[in-house]
Amino acid sequence: MDLSLIVSNILNPPILFFFLGMIAVFVKSDLEIPAPIPKLFSLYLLFAIGFKGGVELIKSGVTQEVILTLAAAMMMACVVPIYTFFILKLKLDTYDAAAIAATYGSISAVTFITASAFLTELGITFDGYMVAALALMESPAIIVGLILVNIFTEDGKRELSWPEVLQEAFLNSSVFLLVGSLLIGVLTGEHGWKVLEPFTQGLFYGVLTFFLLDMGLVAARRIKDLQKTGVFLILFAILIPILNAGIGLAIAKLIGMPRGDSLLFAVLCASASYIAVPAAMRMTVPEANPSLYVSTALAVTFPFNIIVGIPLYLYGINLFWR
């Protein structure tokens, strides 16, 4: 593998600030980001990437490639929780296995945004419709995870309020804002982009950098939870993303996606949710241990993907897309 890809990724300001946040925790600095600010920055990033995706989508139009990509995204969001559930069942009970499987079937929007920034730095283009794939992959894993719990619990009958489940899956703040911004981008097109460009483009990298600083703080604090997971889950949190990315790249190659879109699709397949799915699992599967599904996604998979995974997946693309 070309180590220059990893080095160039690590030396990006957002990634360096992620490390700075982790170091602050390790050296017991009192650095702390006030609670409302990370939430605001998270919403800004979803708004900016969604709006830009909508503008780009209206430019490209709905082609056969777009339809195939979105269908593949939905398929991966449904299939990944199923096979990861049975892997996890080797060591964990049904509740924890289903919650972690749902986490890895869903996506991390920040990992996607970091990958898009990485592509921009390298001058590799990508299409706006990948944001639609991002939006579509957020929720199905929650539904699949709950179905697995219902099927494989001992009594096989859990009383769930499906209206509440569906609302949490499809109308949580991140999905709602992302889809809404995408639609507004489609409706306003180039005119809307020119009006909002100073806000959506000029501030984007600064906000991403500050947000990753906070993510470094949070990830480092979650590392102590890994003592409860054991070697099995740590290996799972590294190897399953690589496997999922490999499957994603094979699908991308089959569909004929260009390099930039292929990387983003692989990143979507490889990432794990640490916001939307954990919130849904806490409400619907209280028997599952949050320290397991949050710490694996946030303290292992997220850092692995943004530091090593993104360059690794691009190396695979450069190798097989020649």
Side-chain angles (χ1 to χ4, degrees):
M1 178 179 174
D2 187 357
L3 292 178
S4 64
L5 285 175
I6 294 180
V7 172
S8 65
N9 185 46
I10 290 175
L11 292 180
N12 272 335
I15 304 300
L16 290 174
F17 273 90
F18 176 83
F19 282 127
L20 183 64
M22 296 192 77
I23 292 170
V25 173
F26 295 149
V27 300
K28 299 182 179 180
S29 168
D30 63 353
L31 176 64
E32 186 175 354
I33 312 298
I37 295 177
K39 178 66 173 177
L40 174 63
F41 283 174
S42 173
L43 293 175
Y44 167 83
L45 292 171
L46 291 169
F47 153 73
I49 196 72
F51 184 75
K52 183 178 180 181
V55 173
E56 294 297 326
L57 180 59
I58 200 64
K59 288 182 184 178
S60 64
V62 180
T63 63
Q64 181 181 2
E65 181 183 326
V66 173
I67 294 171
L68 288 174
T69 300
L70 298 183
M74 289 286 288
M75 180 195 73
M76 286 296 290
C78 294
V79 171
V80 169
I82 296 174
Y83 69 75
T84 53
F85 172 78
F86 289 106
I87 294 172
L88 290 160
K89 277 282 287 178
L90 296 173
K91 293 286 186 178
L92 303 175
D93 63 30
T94 296
Y95 301 113
D96 287 331
I100 297 172
T103 299
Y104 280 80
S106 188
I107 52 87
S108 161
V110 179
T111 308
F112 177 91
I113 293 167
T114 306
S116 65
F118 178 67
L119 289 172
T120 301
E121 286 288 328
L122 295 178
I124 301 174
T125 59
F126 54 92
D127 291 299
Y129 67 79
M130 295 306 300
V131 178
L134 167 69
L136 288 173
M137 292 181 76
E138 179 105 50
S139 302
I142 297 173
I143 307 300
V144 174
L146 294 178
I147 291 172
L148 289 169
V149 169
N150 271 11
I151 293 173
F152 290 96
T153 46
E154 290 183 5
D155 56 13
K157 295 178 181 178
R158 281 173 52 86
E159 292 296 329
L160 290 173
S161 174
W162 282 105
E164 290 184 9
V165 170
L166 293 174
Q167 181 173 0
E168 182 67 27
F170 294 102
L171 293 178
N172 67 75
S173 60
S174 59
V175 174
F176 184 81
L177 180 59
L178 186 65
V179 174
S181 301
L182 181 76
L183 292 176
I184 292 172
V186 168
L187 292 173
T188 58
E190 192 64 30
H191 170 71
W193 176 252
K194 288 179 181 177
V195 171
L196 289 178
E197 185 176 10
F199 182 65
T200 55
Q201 188 76 3
L203 296 177
F204 185 83
Y205 284 98
V207 173
L208 175 61
T209 300
F210 205 87
F211 185 75
L212 285 181
L213 170 65
D214 179 69
M215 291 305 301
L217 293 169
V218 175
R221 291 175 187 138
R222 282 287 179 181
I223 284 179
K224 63 181 180 181
D225 292 335
L226 295 178
Q227 297 172 357
K228 306 172 186 177
T229 67
V231 176
F232 172 76
L233 275 184
I234 294 174
L235 290 175
F236 174 91
I238 294 172
L239 297 179
I240 287 297
I242 296 174
L243 172 62
N244 291 343
I247 296 171
L249 290 181
I251 293 172
K253 182 69 173 176
L254 184 64
I255 293 175
M257 292 186 204
R259 291 169 65 218
D261 295 350
S262 299
L263 177 66
L264 293 180
F265 185 71
V267 166
L268 287 174
C269 294
S271 61
S273 172
Y274 51 82
I275 298 175
V277 174
M281 289 296 113
R282 282 194 184 99
M283 180 186 75
T284 56
V285 190
E287 299 91 344
N289 184 352
S291 68
L292 298 183
Y293 54 81
V294 175
S295 62
T296 49
L298 183 55
V300 182
T301 299
F302 177 71
F304 171 79
N305 272 328
I306 67 168
I307 297 166
V308 177
I310 293 171
L312 176 65
Y313 311 146
L314 182 59
Y315 172 76
I317 291 168
N318 291 337
L319 196 62
F320 294 107
W321 262 246
R322 288 176 180 171

